[in-house]
Amino acid sequence: MAINPNKPRKLPGGILVFVLSILSIVLMTAWAGEGASGTLHAVRSGVETVTAPIKNIGAVVGTPFRAVGDFIAGVTTSSESVDELRAQNELLRSQIIRMEEYRQENERLSALLDLKDAYQLESSAARVIATEPDSWNRVITINKGSESGFSVGMPVMSPNGLLGQIERVSPNSSEVRLITDQKSGVSVFVQENRAEGILSGSVDGILYLQFIGTEIEVNVGDKITTSGSGGIYPKGIPIGEVLSVEQAPADVYKTIIVAPISKVSTYEEVLVITGSEDAIVTTDDTQSNQESGEGNAGANGATDSSDGASGDGAADNTSGDGTNAPEGAE
Amino acid sequence: MNPASQQVRPSFTIIGSLIAVLLQLMLAPSIALFEIAPNFILCFAVVNAMFSGEIRSTIAGFILGLAYDFIAQGALGAMTLVLTILSYGVSSLNKEAISISWTVQAFFLLISAFLGEIFFAAELSIIGQDNDFIRSVGMRVIPVTIYSGLIGLIVFLVMSRIKTKKRPELLRSKLK
């Protein structure tokens, strides 16, 4: 059979894989260099907007599969009793940490009469609709985004402690990178001695407390809370407690592992702290607003209980957590 | 019938790719065990490469890797590079040797999945998104390989029972 001279020559596979490999490297370089406001990031944000409903459907459809996984993980225990005890345990531990914070705060105020360390948090609840689709990142997706006033950098909490930080926002969903992710870092205190360090995640989800010098005494069971340094996470939010402390003779810092209070797999709703550092209200500000601003509460129009970005806080925030009702939650 | 001279239809590559992406989005998080989720996209890219030519395998690997990067949270382009090279490599192998038995094909699938994941971990270390490569190998690469390999076996068994398209030279040899 004669060879067809008009038949187009096929591109050799080697050249094709070379070209596509170069293109992949160019994409990686462009992604790393363009920043969060670049074109590629915008495209990914668009993809997340489109795939968020699919993830939501998958979370519903995958419920029986998740149940099988939970069964396998806890095959030797009664899952119902474990869940109940775990919830009680987490609540009690969180309360203990908060009370200890209040006690120590009271001691400082007694010694320094002009110190003011109380603030109120504005927050909005959201529902977890998806977890990470791969094994390398610890990210959850929640069902609210920019249309609900969320923005990149907002801290996210469970009812008992810190979970993570919003990393990416779409109009109706947000991606939250958990503190257990290897790319996360939180400035924290060891509650017992106020030693400050950085709590970092890892590829396997273990929390490491770094930069604690060998001369500082840290014991198993010590409580870890946010320090407020950097202005990202408010001060005093419970994170976990020390699980192990190791120190080799030549080490400069101790190797400390922390067990987190909040495990994302046990929660379906989370709280997003929507009040920025500028909007954090002190007790004095609250009192002055109450005295002079009652007549303006209606004019401000900030009475939507699910929108935490009003800033005045007097009429909407409760003391302590400032928790608002979840919008659209069932 | 010589399995090495047969390729799957292009429509199967397209439909299978879409299914793999949907499974990764919808099912992988739900069937994660101890936070280890299978990589449906990598599995399908490898299995497709076993039954396709170099050009189609390489392009499918590129597109599947891009899809993975867009739906996951890592650096864009990382898995794209992995699947492009891996798909080309698998499709370049002697398909007659691979097709001896399904156990040989399963072995190649497992090895390819391991190479893909470890290459990905190495990339993350190089670009600074992974702090501990050795821990990643032990806590992520190996578990994901095993889990993905099991999933890939199921995909392979399904694919091995789907009709394949004969190459033109086989038809010409029959017409002579």
Side-chain angles (χ1 to χ4, degrees):
Chain A
M1 180 174 294
I3 297 174
N4 184 353
N6 294 324
K7 184 177 180 181
R9 294 180 58 186
K10 290 184 180 177
L11 183 66
I15 295 178
L16 179 64
V17 72
F18 178 76
V19 169
L20 293 180
S21 298
I22 296 298
L23 186 58
S24 303
I25 294 171
V26 168
L27 274 175
M28 253 193 291
T29 308
W31 170 269
E34 71 174 10
S37 58
T39 306
L40 293 174
H41 284 75
V43 172
R44 175 180 268 183
S45 180
V47 169
E48 286 166 3
T49 303
V50 170
T51 58
I54 300 174
K55 289 180 185 177
N56 206 1
I57 293 171
V60 173
V61 169
T63 300
F65 297 98
R66 205 178 304 121
V68 172
D70 291 342
F71 173 77
I72 294 173
V75 70
T76 60
T77 60
S78 163
S79 61
E80 188 176 332
S81 60
V82 167
D83 288 344
E84 187 178 346
L85 288 171
R86 186 180 290 132
Q88 288 179 0
N89 191 305
E90 287 172 359
L91 183 62
L92 288 170
R93 283 159 64 187
S94 175
Q95 287 176 349
I96 288 173
I97 291 175
R98 285 181 193 157
M99 283 190 288
E100 179 62 20
E101 275 295 306
Y102 295 147
R103 186 190 68 78
Q104 293 188 6
E105 179 188 349
N106 184 52
E107 285 182 356
R108 291 194 299 273
L109 288 175
S110 297
L112 298 169
L113 295 175
D114 59 341
L115 177 65
K116 293 178 181 177
D117 195 33
Y119 50 81
Q120 296 176 345
L121 297 175
E122 298 178 11
S123 62
S124 178
R127 184 184 296 276
V128 178
I129 60 174
T131 54
E132 64 275 10
D134 66 307
S135 304
W136 294 90
N137 296 278
R138 295 175 184 276
V139 175
I140 60 174
T141 304
I142 58 178
N143 68 339
K144 289 183 182 178
S146 53
E147 287 189 359
S148 302
F150 290 178
S151 60
V152 173
M154 285 182 174
V156 178
M157 292 175 56
S158 71
N160 298 325
L162 185 67
L163 270 181
Q165 184 182 33
I166 290 181
E167 184 182 60
R168 218 172 351 257
V169 175
S170 303
N172 294 306
S173 67
S174 301
E175 308 278 336
V176 179
R177 189 167 294 274
L178 305 178
I179 59 172
T180 50
D181 186 271
Q182 59 179 332
K183 290 192 277 289
S184 289
V186 184
S187 179
V188 299
F189 274 138
V190 179
Q191 192 177 61
E192 279 68 14
N193 55 24
R194 316 307 288 183
E196 190 167 355
I198 300 294
L199 194 67
S200 302
S202 62
V203 67
D204 49 2
I206 295 176
L207 287 173
Y208 292 92
L209 177 56
Q210 298 177 325
F211 308 120
I212 301 293
T214 54
E215 72 282 0
I216 299 174
E217 185 177 349
V218 179
N219 301 309
V220 173
D222 285 352
K223 306 298 185 292
I224 306 297
T225 63
T226 55
S227 68
S229 297
I232 297 175
Y233 299 103
K235 184 178 179 181
I237 299 178
I239 296 180
E241 62 183 40
V242 175
L243 195 62
S244 73
V245 182
E246 292 177 2
Q247 177 184 332
D251 283 349
V252 176
Y253 300 113
K254 297 190 178 202
T255 301
I256 302 172
I257 294 178
V258 174
I261 287 180
S262 299
K263 293 179 175 52
V264 69
S265 59
T266 62
Y267 299 111
E268 294 184 5
E269 286 83 29
V270 297
L271 299 174
V272 178
I273 299 175
T274 55
S276 65
E277 188 174 3
D278 293 337
I280 292 175
V281 181
T282 63
T283 52
D284 283 349
D285 293 339
T286 304
Q287 290 170 357
S288 62
N289 284 338
Q290 286 175 342
E291 291 170 1
S292 63
E294 284 182 1
N296 297 328
N300 287 337
T303 56
D304 182 358
S305 63
S306 65
D307 181 359
S310 60
D312 55 294
D316 301 329
N317 289 331
T318 60
S319 59
D321 291 339
T323 304
N324 296 319
E327 184 176 340
E330 296 177 0
Chain B
M1 183 173 72
N2 182 1
S5 63
Q6 296 178 338
Q7 294 185 24
V8 292
R9 296 189 180 92
S11 58
F12 180 83
T13 301
I14 296 171
I15 295 172
S17 300
L18 286 172
I19 292 173
V21 172
L22 282 175
L23 287 175
Q24 193 69 40
L25 265 175
M26 298 174 66
L27 191 60
S30 299
I31 63 173
L33 291 176
F34 305 103
E35 298 181 341
I36 301 295
N39 193 336
F40 290 102
I41 291 177
L42 185 147
C43 288
F44 180 77
V46 171
V47 174
N48 180 68
M50 284 183 180
F51 294 95
S52 301
E54 289 181 3
I55 303 297
R56 194 196 309 166
S57 298
T58 306
I59 294 174
F62 178 82
I63 295 173
L64 283 169
L66 203 56
Y68 181 96
D69 285 332
F70 271 118
I71 65 176
Q73 304 301 324
L76 191 69
M79 188 57 81
T80 309
L81 180 63
V82 170
L83 289 189
T84 299
I85 296 174
L86 188 66
S87 298
Y88 173 74
V90 172
S91 65
S92 302
L93 295 174
N94 186 338
K95 288 185 170 49
E96 289 185 3
I98 298 175
S99 305
I100 291 175
S101 67
W102 73 270
T103 51
V104 174
Q105 289 168 322
F107 175 75
F108 270 103
L109 172 64
L110 204 63
I111 295 297
S112 301
F114 176 77
L115 288 175
E117 290 291 337
I118 204 167
F119 186 9
F120 187 67
E123 268 187 316
L124 294 182
S125 293
I126 290 171
I127 64 178
Q129 290 203 354
D130 185 2
N131 300 329
D132 193 337
F133 175 73
I134 302 299
R135 178 184 290 275
S136 296
V137 171
M139 304 301 294
R140 281 296 173 266
V141 172
I142 293 175
V144 172
T145 297
I146 294 171
Y147 202 170
S148 300
L150 289 173
I151 300 294
L153 277 177
I154 298 172
V155 173
F156 168 73
L157 287 173
V158 170
M159 277 198 65
S160 66
R161 278 149 181 76
I162 292 175
K163 285 185 179 179
T164 55
K165 183 183 73 173
K166 296 185 177 181
R167 286 184 176 172
E169 57 266 26
L170 196 61
L171 289 173
R172 282 197 292 270
S173 67
K174 286 195 170 183
L175 290 173
K176 285 182 181 175

